[in-house]
Amino acid sequence: MQRTIITSVALGAVLTLTAAACGGGDGGGSSSDGPVKLRFQSLAWQEESVKANKDLVKKWNDENPDIQVEYVQGDWGSVHDELLTSFEGGDPADIIHYEAAAIQVFAEGGYLADLDETLSDDFKGSIDEDIWETVQYDEYGTIGAPFLLESRMALANKKLFDAAGIEVPTPEDPWTWDEFQDAAKELTTGGTYGVAWPLGSPANAVLNLSQSFGGGYVTDSDGEPKVEVGDAELEVPTRIHEMLYEDKSAAPSTVGSNSTDSLPGFFEGKYAMLFGAIWLRQQMVQEAPEGFEWVTLPPLEGSEGQAQAANPQILSVAAQSEHPEEATKFIEFFLNPDNMAALAKGDWLVPTSAGALSALAESTGGEQDWDVAVASVDALEGAPWQKTPGFQEWLDRIATPAFQKYFADEISEDDLAKELEEGGDKVLSEQR
């Protein structure tokens, strides 16, 4: 279904027609003699994370009787369309949990408050400038507070590494992509593949990892962005394709699946390494059979270092909220160092603030490879394509099916580049 975004001209009419609904009903707003009432829509889904979210909301409500927050459970699979409906209907939650790149379309529609003036300098100073850039726009201001980051790396079967005499790389001495591929070839023996690449949804993974070779995918000349696919952009997909079909060190049966689908085979020793996101460590703790030894490998190093695209989860405030200042106060409480560390731990992700990183490192003591996770934050940075209007649509409609065909060996490298560029011309031109 093609998503419809209201233009700034139509937005004024929508807001006029629906102003009476904003913050009303059982959701936001307040009576003249009662507390301010806010709604917070959270996308937490893991049991530990949901509990951490609800505990923090309860703590806030206990300590702030004049500003009461209602926890609303959202879902990653349906949140985009739900947000569109609530914005157009004039009754969104006051505080909205989403990710930086995906929420951009709502900033374009004028639906998100600029938090630059309401967030404190201390809070803003605790998060690296490179991460803030993912949520800052000349036209819309600061559209959210970034708090969780996802890095991509491989998990490894320690016993298979030991049997092959391969040392586990460390954050201080990470593998290059060449070293990773060499290890995968060496580990491919006796019915075991060196690595599983679950790429059922490949576009985000490939684009994020391509940062390590300088793959930007988008150029912008005179305000007209376009997709360009050259050597840097093709470096990661080509290497993965080589592992699948030339080296045969990657398991072809996993390429159309997701990471959790590949866990049983990983536990059975069918693959020595499993590539995925940092949160996959939780499944290892919960599901790995007794005696299974696993380790987390640091981000791989390409020609441009270990760089990966940072697409943080963020908390935004609806422009239609009647209480943006109170909503921002809640956000700063919710994302103070200790609380942000608790949220990151619950989601098995990486927090954005220096204080939360320190608190997380101290509370975990490096167990369950939290030291590797915390160190991976240094690799994360904003990507050129993240702020390009229409890019998410290109990612979904064009890039995902093109990469799927390429990794299924149905099209060539040249065909891949052609589909990505021609699709980019079509989709991005519609935004001009």
Side-chain angles (χ1 to χ4, degrees), residues 12 45 124 159 182 207 258 263-264 268 290 300 321 335-336 340 352 404 415:
W45 62 276
K124 289 187 284 188
K159 289 183 178 179
D182 289 343
L207 265 66
N258 61 45
L263 283 175
E268 293 168 12
E290 186 176 352
L300 300 177
S321 172
L335 302 183
N336 72 36
M340 190 190 292
T352 57
Q404 286 172 333
D415 291 334

Side-chain angles (χ1 to χ4, degrees), residues 374-406:
V374 167
S376 72
V377 74
D378 293 335
L380 299 170
E381 60 185 37
W385 42 267
Q386 288 175 316
K387 293 185 178 181
T388 302
F391 195 83
Q392 190 66 40
E393 183 180 352
W394 173 85
L395 204 66
D396 295 338
R397 282 177 46 194
I398 307 298
T400 292
F403 281 122
Q404 286 172 333
K405 287 187 289 184
Y406 178 65

Side-chain angles (χ1 to χ4, degrees), residues 273-343:
M273 294 182 285
L274 171 60
F275 219 96
I278 195 67
W279 55 262
L280 197 57
R281 293 170 303 123
Q282 183 193 38
Q283 272 61 47
M284 303 304 296
V285 172
Q286 292 183 340
E287 301 179 25
E290 186 176 352
F292 186 85
E293 296 181 45
W294 59 276
V295 292
T296 308
L297 311 188
L300 300 177
E301 190 172 80
S303 60
E304 301 297 322
Q306 294 175 277
Q308 295 185 16
N311 181 22
Q313 294 183 32
I314 66 174
L315 294 184
S316 300
V317 174
Q320 293 156 291
S321 172
E322 295 180 352
H323 305 285
E325 291 186 7
E326 290 86 349
T328 306
K329 288 179 182 178
F330 172 77
I331 288 175
E332 291 208 10
F333 159 82
F334 197 74
L335 302 183
N336 72 36
D338 288 339
N339 292 346
M340 190 190 292
L343 294 167

Side-chain angles (χ1 to χ4, degrees), residues 8 24 58 64 104 120 124 141 164 178 213 221 241 270 272 276 295 302 304 323 327 336 342 364 403 425:
S8 57
K58 183 179 184 305
N64 296 272
Q104 176 188 341
S120 69
K124 289 187 284 188
D178 288 340
F213 290 99
S221 177
H241 193 275
K270 293 181 179 179
V295 292
E304 301 297 322
H323 305 285
N336 72 36
T364 59
F403 281 122
D425 287 344

